[in-house]
Amino acid sequence: MIKKVQYTIMLGMIGVFALILVNTNNNPVRESFTYFPPDPDVSFVSARTSLSILTQEDEDEYTLNWKSESTLSEVAYLRQDLSFLYEEGRLIDTMSSWKENTATIHQKQEFTSEDSGHYEAISYHYGEIHYPNDIIRSAQEMSYDQLYVIDSPMTPLESFKKATNEEEKEWEYILDHAMIQQSQLIFKAMVTEYKIHPEDYYIIPLTSLYRYQDKPLPGLSKNETTDVIGGLWAGLYKNYFLGIESTGGRTESPIGSTIPMILLHKQSPYLLVLFQSKSGRNIQLIQYLNEPILDS
């Protein structure tokens, strides 16, 4: 069954404190978070996501080290970092941490894997700053890293972030070719199902969104881009990270889902987010720009 969820952002909105939940790793997570207008006087002095090989357990296994860390220019009322880890275009793990009255968040996980693979991690770093008279502002940043791991019986374990020689370029092609073909098939099925005309949209994978940290999205101003990205991550947190809505009020874990594809309409003030869950359900989220929030 195809599930369609609507969510929107509203500029200058007043936030509501969210409930606290507990995930399976006993790390506190919030039910949702609200994006507030940017604070021109506050920014991230550092924001980084990193992937590296930590150890090789044996000939068949290795440990991947995944980190997300950020520091705001001042102590914030609320800090939150959210990170997604993908392998071959499928979500394999998530991290999220929120803290009050701090500037810095450090997150780290180790992930044991085997065989060759292409890993991508993208993180969203967020800070909420409170002022007198109920004025709330925010700061946000994105960071990204990738790692190609070559685990071949013919050669020692190797890894690289960007191919620099012919051998690495060949491995890069091998690892990405099948993933790209599969992603294209899934995307074609989704746009057919939803009767979408791809030529009407700017299409951006979530793992490429960090490229618009310091430049505007196509057709938008820099200020509009900042607001759209903030609203987008707030929607992904609620409708993707915390679970994908299913029938009967149940939710499906996002683990195993595809990288969300962001479709920004070239003429109308909205964007779509398309992805497929592990169970094969196609999901469409809709973000209308500059309108009041609607219920899902």
Side-chain angles (χ1 to χ4, degrees), residues 51-115:
L51 295 172
S52 61
I53 295 295
L54 186 63
T55 59
Q56 182 172 2
E57 305 298 331
D58 52 42
E59 292 182 357
D60 298 321
E61 288 188 350
Y62 55 87
T63 300
L64 190 72
N65 192 30
W66 170 31
K67 292 182 180 180
S68 170
E69 44 199 352
S70 62
T71 299
L72 203 58
S73 58
E74 63 178 65
V75 172
Y77 175 82
L78 182 68
R79 280 290 338 276
Q80 177 153 1
D81 278 9
L82 173 65
S83 190
F84 296 140
L85 177 63
Y86 295 91
E87 180 185 12
E88 312 297 346
R90 292 275 179 173
L91 184 68
I92 58 173
D93 212 343
T94 65
M95 290 194 299
S96 179
S97 177
W98 72 271
K99 295 181 179 181
E100 294 181 345
N101 300 315
T102 189
T104 301
I105 287 182
H106 295 283
Q107 296 187 93
K108 180 175 71 172
Q109 283 196 31
E110 296 176 4
F111 188 85
T112 301
S113 188
E114 59 185 19
D115 300 325

Side-chain angles (χ1 to χ4, degrees), residues 24 32 36 39 68 83 100 102 151 153-155 162 175 198 209 218 224 228 230 235-236 245 247 260 279 290 293:
T24 55
S32 63
F36 292 91
D39 190 325
S68 170
S83 190
E100 294 181 345
T102 189
D151 188 13
M154 304 297 186
T155 60
K162 186 176 181 180
L175 291 174
L209 191 62
E224 289 171 334
V228 166
L236 286 172
E245 261 192 53
T247 55
S279 65
N290 303 324
I293 287 182

Side-chain angles (χ1 to χ4, degrees), residues 5-23:
V5 181
Q6 293 184 339
Y7 65 93
T8 63
I9 64 172
M10 178 173 66
L11 307 185
M13 66 203 324
I14 300 301
V16 177
F17 296 121
L19 298 176
I20 306 302
L21 305 177
V22 177
N23 65 11

Side-chain angles (χ1 to χ4, degrees), residues 3-5 194 196 272-275 282-286:
K3 178 65 179 177
K4 180 178 179 180
V5 181
Y194 292 115
I196 295 169
L272 305 175
V273 180
L274 302 178
F275 60 92
N282 293 331
I283 310 296
Q284 176 179 241
L285 308 178
I286 304 177

Side-chain angles (χ1 to χ4, degrees), residues 39-289:
D39 190 325
D41 299 320
V42 180
S43 62
F44 280 90
V45 295
S46 66
R48 182 170 179 260
T49 297
S50 64
L51 295 172
S52 61
I53 295 295
L54 186 63
T55 59
Q56 182 172 2
E57 305 298 331
D58 52 42
E59 292 182 357
D60 298 321
E61 288 188 350
Y62 55 87
T63 300
L64 190 72
N65 192 30
W66 170 31
K67 292 182 180 180
S68 170
E69 44 199 352
S70 62
T71 299
L72 203 58
S73 58
E74 63 178 65
V75 172
Y77 175 82
L78 182 68
R79 280 290 338 276
Q80 177 153 1
D81 278 9
L82 173 65
S83 190
F84 296 140
L85 177 63
Y86 295 91
E87 180 185 12
E88 312 297 346
R90 292 275 179 173
L91 184 68
I92 58 173
D93 212 343
T94 65
M95 290 194 299
S96 179
S97 177
W98 72 271
K99 295 181 179 181
E100 294 181 345
N101 300 315
T102 189
T104 301
I105 287 182
H106 295 283
Q107 296 187 93
K108 180 175 71 172
Q109 283 196 31
E110 296 176 4
F111 188 85
T112 301
S113 188
E114 59 185 19
D115 300 325
S116 301
H118 178 201
Y119 300 91
E120 294 180 277
I122 185 166
S123 303
Y124 179 70
H125 315 278
Y126 183 75
E128 192 175 287
I129 303 95
H130 288 211
Y131 294 102
N133 301 319
D134 294 327
I135 296 174
I136 305 176
R137 295 291 181 264
S138 71
Q140 64 180 356
E141 188 90 12
M142 292 178 289
S143 61
Y144 168 87
D145 197 19
Q146 67 173 349
L147 190 70
Y148 290 87
V149 178
I150 312 305
D151 188 13
S152 169
M154 304 297 186
T155 60
L157 183 71
E158 298 180 46
S159 65
F160 62 89
K161 295 183 182 296
K162 186 176 181 180
T164 58
N165 55 52
E166 290 305 315
E167 182 180 0
E168 290 178 349
K169 289 178 181 178
E170 182 177 354
W171 272 110
E172 182 180 68
Y173 175 81
I174 291 171
L175 291 174
D176 286 347
H177 182 65
M179 179 192 74
I180 292 171
Q181 283 190 319
Q182 181 67 16
S183 297
Q184 289 175 340
L185 287 174
I186 293 172
F187 183 74
K188 183 178 180 180
M190 287 191 290
V191 299
T192 298
E193 178 70 31
Y194 292 115
K195 297 178 174 58
I196 295 169
H197 301 285
E199 64 274 11
D200 293 337
Y201 297 84
Y202 300 107
I203 303 172
I204 305 165
L206 178 64
T207 47
S208 296
L209 191 62
Y210 73 97
R211 295 173 180 169
Y212 298 94
Q213 178 64 47
D214 299 312
K215 68 177 183 179
L217 287 162
L220 299 180
S221 68
K222 185 63 179 71
N223 288 340
E224 289 171 334
T225 295
T226 299
D227 293 328
V228 166
I229 288 174
L232 176 61
W233 278 100
L236 286 172
Y237 183 84
K238 179 181 179 181
N239 298 293
Y240 184 66
F241 170 78
L242 291 179
I244 303 165
E245 261 192 53
S246 186
T247 55
R250 293 172 295 179
T251 59
E252 180 180 351
S253 168
I255 302 301
S257 62
T258 61
I259 296 173
M261 302 297 292
I262 301 161
L263 282 68
L264 178 62
H265 200 278
K266 295 178 180 179
Q267 302 296 331
S268 302
Y270 75 90
L271 62 79
L272 305 175
V273 180
L274 302 178
F275 60 92
Q276 187 180 86
S277 72
K278 182 180 180 179
S279 65
R281 292 193 305 126
N282 293 331
I283 310 296
Q284 176 179 241
L285 308 178
I286 304 177
Q287 178 176 325
Y288 295 99
L289 311 184

